[in-house]
Amino acid sequence: MAVVQLFATCLVDWLAPQVGDATVMVLEKAGCTVAVPAGQTCCGQPAYNAGLEPQARRMAAHTLDVLDGTQGPVVVPSGSCADMLIHHLPELMAGDEKYEPMALRVAARVRELTAFLVDDLGVHDLEAASPGKAVFHPSCHGLRNLGLRQQPLTLLDGVEGLELVSQEGREECCGFGGLFSLELPEMSEAILNAKLDSIEDCHPDQLIGVDVSCLLHMAGGLHRRGSAIQVRHIAEVLGG
């Protein structure tokens, strides 16, 4: 069995540990042995997005120290954090004699969860079942920076009883955008409401996504509307 390293992400660790559990279950269903590197914390993305590069570099250096000593693919259940590890850590560490080579080595091993399952392992059906109608939100970082368009849909197509329904503006932003939602809350809320309107127009039972950050943002909006739509990370669906 292939050994993979799980980089769980901060939000999963602190706010959605069930997604981490489900990710382990999914990877084991796919035939992998899952290791969780001790000492992992934040990849540095919040500081990087805020323009705090010295702080981001310190956090990135710690992450590289943790991951570079491991073997096998580093699987991340988040497009935004995977994008940070793959594209921005090498940029942050450019010119650093120690950490630039480490960043390049780690970046070459990082895989977002659905891309790893479909593109690397060739998995299309995990024998999961989740009856009902669902809409899928792809998330901007994964979609635009990692090219995660078909991989999640391929996996969801294999879920027994799940009916994916077409949603207007599926690929449009949910309004979270990391610090964007904190710095421009009125604009973020307007984008969120447009997204939630299009979701509710589909009358789904579930909203499924690949990033906890976007899902928490949309779940909060749906809760304030009194919606009964269940919000789930794709790992929770595939682990069922």
Side-chain angles (χ1 to χ4, degrees), residues 194-211:
K195 170 65 72 170
L196 297 183
D197 286 345
S198 69
I199 290 171
E200 290 188 323
D201 285 345
C202 297
H203 305 289
D205 304 299
Q206 301 179 61
L207 165 61
I208 301 170
V210 291
D211 273 73

Side-chain angles (χ1 to χ4, degrees), residues 79-94:
S80 63
C81 297
D83 177 50
M84 180 70 185
L85 292 167
I86 293 170
H87 294 129
H88 299 303
L89 259 61
E91 295 173 359
L92 270 175
M93 297 308 187

Side-chain angles (χ1 to χ4, degrees), residues 150-171:
Q150 190 57 42
Q151 298 93 327
L153 298 176
T154 295
L155 293 165
L156 292 174
D157 282 344
V159 176
E160 183 180 351
L162 188 69
E163 178 191 354
L164 279 180
V165 294
S166 297
Q167 173 204 345
E168 184 178 352
R170 169 190 276 179
E171 295 186 356

Side-chain angles (χ1 to χ4, degrees), residues 40-60:
Q40 61 178 280
T41 55
C42 179
C43 64
Q45 182 179 181
Y48 178 78
N49 289 344
L52 303 173
E53 289 200 2
Q55 293 89 335
R57 278 193 292 271
R58 287 198 296 271
M59 299 174 79

Side-chain angles (χ1 to χ4, degrees), residues 1-226:
M1 298 175 72
V3 176
V4 302
Q5 309 294 329
L6 173 62
F7 187 78
T9 80
C10 302
L11 290 180
V12 169
D13 188 26
W14 287 96
L15 298 176
Q18 74 279 4
V19 173
D21 292 339
T23 300
V24 172
M25 185 181 300
V26 167
L27 289 169
E28 289 178 343
K29 285 174 68 174
C32 299
T33 298
V34 182
V36 183
Q40 61 178 280
T41 55
C42 179
C43 64
Q45 182 179 181
Y48 178 78
N49 289 344
L52 303 173
E53 289 200 2
Q55 293 89 335
R57 278 193 292 271
R58 287 198 296 271
M59 299 174 79
H62 173 76
T63 295
L64 292 170
D65 286 335
V66 169
L67 295 179
D68 193 49
T70 64
Q71 299 294 321
V74 177
V75 178
V76 188
S78 161
S80 63
C81 297
D83 177 50
M84 180 70 185
L85 292 167
I86 293 170
H87 294 129
H88 299 303
L89 259 61
E91 295 173 359
L92 270 175
M93 297 308 187
D96 188 295
E97 184 176 340
K98 175 182 178 182
Y99 285 106
E100 182 179 12
M102 290 173 67
L104 292 170
R105 286 195 299 268
V106 169
R109 295 167 52 210
V110 172
R111 302 287 186 272
E112 185 274 339
L113 174 63
T114 64
F116 177 68
L117 292 169
V118 175
D119 297 338
D120 291 26
L121 299 185
V123 172
H124 290 181
D125 189 345
L126 285 160
E127 299 183 352
S130 185
K133 293 172 61 177
V135 293
F136 173 72
H137 176 70
S139 291
C140 296
H141 279 91
L143 181 66
R144 293 167 175 82
N145 294 357
L146 299 179
L148 303 178
R149 177 170 277 105
Q150 190 57 42
Q151 298 93 327
L153 298 176
T154 295
L155 293 165
L156 292 174
D157 282 344
V159 176
E160 183 180 351
L162 188 69
E163 178 191 354
L164 279 180
V165 294
S166 297
Q167 173 204 345
E168 184 178 352
R170 169 190 276 179
E171 295 186 356
E172 294 177 5
C173 180
C174 70
F176 177 68
L179 296 179
F180 171 83
S181 59
L182 300 178
E183 295 174 343
L184 298 167
E186 294 85 2
M187 187 177 295
S188 172
E189 184 176 6
I191 296 171
L192 172 64
N193 283 328
K195 170 65 72 170
L196 297 183
D197 286 345
S198 69
I199 290 171
E200 290 188 323
D201 285 345
C202 297
H203 305 289
D205 304 299
Q206 301 179 61
L207 165 61
I208 301 170
V210 291
D211 273 73
V212 166
S213 54
C214 299
L215 292 174
L216 288 172
H217 185 60
M218 292 185 288
L222 289 170
H223 176 74
R224 290 189 292 274
R225 291 181 175 208

